[in-house]
Amino acid sequence: QVQLQESGPGLVKPSQTLSLTCTVSGGSITTTNWHWSWIRRPPGKGLEWMGAIGYSGGTYYKTSLKSRTSISKDNSKNQFTLQLSSVTPEDTAVYYCARSLGGNWYDYTGYDSWGQGTQVTVSS
């Protein structure tokens, strides 16, 4: 069974860049058709898909976040990363990585594997 685990700093200062890594085990991030997403949940709010990277390297972003979001992957390490620049307290959330087959990003039932989530707080 594929397993995902998020890692990175739990506290980021405003205006800095949030950087997280998702480590995948039990499956390869290069396997045909799979997509690898970052999803977050702000306190008291619902899930928000942020962006994804496909098995062959194509990237997809939520329009409102595209200008400050970058997702990349390292096939040799079986990892993919999230970088979110110019953060504000509104970016405080639990951040998840997850796997899906297609591009229906906002159907959260379509993700078959999730990381446990990692809390990131933006505060000075």
Side-chain angles (χ1 to χ4, degrees):
Q1 293 181 338
V2 65
Q3 296 178 330
L4 292 75
Q5 182 170 324
E6 305 89 348
S7 61
L11 181 64
V12 184
K13 294 182 178 180
S15 82
Q16 293 186 332
T17 296
L18 181 160
S19 183
L20 297 173
T21 297
C22 183
T23 300
V24 178
S25 61
S28 174
I29 60 174
T30 64
T31 298
T32 302
N33 291 338
W34 290 108
H35 294 75
W36 308 89
S37 289
W38 287 100
I39 300 161
R40 67 182 181 181
R41 182 188 177 190
K45 299 182 179 180
L47 296 171
E48 179 188 23
W49 176 81
M50 302 179 68
I53 188 164
Y55 67 99
S56 61
T59 52
Y60 314 87
Y61 300 105
K62 183 178 181 179
T63 302
S64 61
L65 296 174
K66 185 175 183 178
S67 66
R68 59 191 187 100
T69 305
S70 180
I71 297 172
S72 60
K73 65 186 178 79
D74 186 335
N75 295 334
S76 68
K77 297 180 179 179
N78 219 34
Q79 294 178 329
F80 64 103
T81 63
L82 169 71
Q83 296 207 350
L84 182 68
S85 66
S86 303
V87 298
T88 74
E90 297 299 312
D91 294 309
T92 294
V94 177
Y95 285 75
Y96 301 90
C97 52
R99 182 181 75 166
S100 67
L101 276 175
N104 193 7
W105 313 119
Y106 300 99
D107 178 11
Y108 298 108
T109 66
Y111 296 88
D112 72 338
S113 296
W114 295 73
Q116 66 182 13
T118 186
Q119 172 71 44
V120 179
T121 299
V122 179
S123 177
S124 59

